[in-house]
Amino acid sequence: MKSPVPDYLQEVLDSLSENTDGAVADYIPDLAHANPDVFGIAVTTVDGRTHSAGDDEVEFSIQSISKPFAYAAALTDRGFDAVANTVGVEPSGEAFNELSLEGETRRPKNPMINAGAIATHSMLGGSVDERVSRALSFFSTLAGRQLTVDESVCRSEMATADRNLAIAHMLRNYGILADDAHAVVEGYTTQCSINVTVRDLSVMGATLANAGVHPVTGERVVTRAIARQTLSVMAGAGMYDAAGHWLTSVGIPAKSGVAGGLLGSLPGQVGIGVMSPRLDAHGNSVRGVKAFQRLSDDMGMHLMEAEPYGSSVLRSISEAHGEVRVELQGVVQFSGAERVLDALSRDSSLGTVLFDVSRVDRFSDVGRRMVLEGMRRVVLDGRGVVLTDPDGVLPDPDLGDGTFPQIR
């Protein structure tokens, strides 16, 4: 059985493909020439499975999506107190390139705006080479592959970096930066020019969602406390002056970049990466934002209504006497149902599949729909489906066209 998750992701892309609102970033010459029709999406579970659709292998510069990861690296290298002395955590309510400083301390208000990101980058080492090497190495560990810098984008961005240079000089004037302002901006611009794909972003986001443990390698990249801190700041300030609307309408800690990338990280569940270059007035991908809204609405991914992640939803899967028995338990929502679908997609037998939900406490709406879709696809494969549901926790198990599983 083929998992329906990539099909769903492709349907999301198809539903938005005709949307040509917004415009590519034109203040960076290289980005002004970007293909505006690139559109890709990827979702990685905290169990390490990645589903993707569209232009999922197209590389683009990470830009401001680098900010939360640089913040996590600075917290790892310098500790919470040292970082807090340099940059705050309060939402600015202003555009990404405003000089938003606290009145008394002169700290940048948070690490997600350019002033805070420049200050954060300065804590990654004592020279341009050290800072860039630290960022590139750390981001590569998060992505699970060696990333590279787009030198052309870097040069193009440095040629138009007057505002960031002005911000850096102001930060140095207030004693926030100890190093040469131009050197810090050079390193920060290189950090923003690291190339990623949406698959990379989804894995990087899933590492934060998995409390700092890489979902594929199992390596602890950052501590649980640092992952929580980073996600918290993303939730409050990651979408700049649209952060409040984003949190209430989408509810997924996120960070955008002006190349068109959009990162999401839902604690305990998934990391999400979307790429579409046309931006809105806030500097966020138009189609990317709409894709996230679909995921949040369809999959129940809003942070304030997310179900507990059930890593043990799939109690067991076994085969005997020509029948595959799938036992579920606990609360079945997106992540748990995705795990069940993955197990079914790996099952190569041809026998009847028995779904035993007698130990399930409850299905969320998306969990119910995904499990029923899994049953439907088993039937389409020419196999029988049997349901054991003594308490009726899976109501109206219609598999389409009036087909129902056999009840046992």
Side-chain angles (χ1 to χ4, degrees):
M1 186 206 81
K2 178 185 175 184
S3 171
V5 176
D7 295 339
Y8 166 74
L9 296 178
Q10 185 61 56
E11 189 277 323
V12 171
L13 297 187
D14 292 343
S15 71
L16 299 171
S17 62
E18 299 302 316
N19 188 318
T20 58
D21 294 344
V24 299
D26 58 5
Y27 64 93
I28 299 173
D30 263 33
L31 298 188
H33 301 301
N35 179 359
D37 296 321
V38 170
F39 199 10
I41 186 170
V43 174
T44 297
T45 70
V46 294
D47 291 332
R49 290 181 298 279
T50 297
H51 305 280
S52 60
D55 301 315
D56 59 341
E57 294 186 355
V58 172
E59 290 192 331
F60 54 92
S61 55
I62 192 169
Q63 296 297 330
S64 288
I65 301 173
S66 69
K67 293 172 181 176
F69 300 119
Y71 182 60
L75 289 170
T76 299
D77 296 348
R78 300 297 184 95
F80 280 73
D81 291 342
V83 173
N85 286 334
T86 300
V87 61
V89 296
E90 296 299 327
S92 69
E94 297 178 320
F96 69 94
N97 58 359
E98 290 296 322
L99 183 64
S100 295
L101 307 179
E102 295 177 347
E104 295 183 4
T105 67
R106 299 300 184 181
R107 295 183 309 175
K109 288 187 177 179
N110 66 70
M112 301 297 124
I113 55 175
N114 285 13
I118 291 168
T120 299
H121 174 81
S122 73
M123 291 183 279
L124 299 185
S127 67
V128 174
D129 288 344
E130 286 180 7
R131 290 188 288 268
V132 170
S133 177
R134 175 57 173 147
L136 187 58
S137 174
F138 188 67
F139 294 4
S140 297
T141 298
L142 287 163
R145 72 180 185 97
Q146 183 59 51
L147 303 179
T148 59
V149 174
D150 188 323
E151 298 292 351
S152 177
V153 168
C154 186
R155 289 192 298 271
S156 179
E157 197 162 349
M158 273 303 296
T160 57
D162 292 339
R163 189 175 185 90
N164 280 344
L165 287 166
I167 289 173
H169 281 290
M170 187 64 71
L171 292 175
R172 182 170 168 81
N173 175 68
Y174 286 129
I176 301 298
L177 291 186
D179 297 328
D180 175 72
H182 192 282
V184 173
V185 171
E186 180 183 347
Y188 169 68
T189 303
T190 307
Q191 170 189 298
C192 291
S193 302
I194 294 173
N195 275 336
V196 292
T197 67
V198 291
R199 294 178 66 89
D200 293 329
L201 289 183
S202 72
V203 173
M204 296 166 82
T207 303
L208 294 179
N210 198 30
V213 176
H214 196 282
V216 178
T217 67
E219 176 186 355
R220 175 162 290 285
V221 182
V222 296
T223 67
R224 180 180 293 271
I226 289 174
R228 184 184 71 179
Q229 178 78 2
T230 304
L231 288 172
S232 298
V233 176
M234 285 172 61
M239 300 298 282
Y240 306 128
D241 45 335
H245 177 72
W246 175 271
L247 185 59
T248 54
S249 63
V250 178
I252 300 173
K255 187 72 200 74
S256 61
V258 295
L262 189 53
L263 162 79
S265 183
L266 188 61
Q269 296 198 51
V270 295
I272 305 167
V274 179
M275 166 56 173
S276 180
R278 295 187 185 93
L279 310 179
D280 61 21
H282 302 287
N284 302 324
S285 168
V286 173
R287 292 192 296 190
V289 168
K290 291 187 178 297
F292 267 82
Q293 289 171 336
R294 276 287 307 273
L295 291 177
S296 179
D297 292 342
D298 294 352
M299 310 300 263
M301 287 185 172
H302 196 292
L303 185 64
M304 302 308 172
E305 65 177 8
E307 302 283 354
Y309 171 66
S311 60
S312 58
V313 160
L314 183 60
R315 180 182 176 88
S316 68
I317 181 168
S318 58
E319 183 177 2
H321 309 296
E323 181 178 86
V324 177
R325 184 183 184 89
V326 179
E327 292 187 83
L328 309 184
Q329 64 183 6
V331 176
V332 182
Q333 41 72 274
F334 171 78
S335 298
E338 187 277 336
R339 186 169 184 173
V340 173
L341 294 175
D342 177 72
L344 289 173
S345 71
R346 297 173 186 274
D347 175 34
S348 59
S349 63
L350 300 175
T352 296
V353 180
L354 185 149
F355 291 83
D356 185 347
V357 300
S358 57
R359 291 184 174 87
V360 171
D361 298 316
R362 178 165 58 90
F363 282 87
S364 70
D365 179 62
V366 67
R368 173 182 175 276
R369 288 187 283 116
M370 289 175 71
V371 169
L372 290 177
E373 177 63 12
M375 291 181 179
R376 189 183 73 85
R377 294 196 176 205
V378 170
V379 171
L380 290 175
D381 287 343
R383 304 169 66 181
V385 172
V386 177
L387 174 64
T388 298
D389 185 13
D391 298 323
V393 295
L394 189 64
D396 303 320
D398 186 352
L399 305 184
D401 298 326
T403 304
F404 288 81
Q406 177 187 345
I407 305 298
R408 182 183 297 176

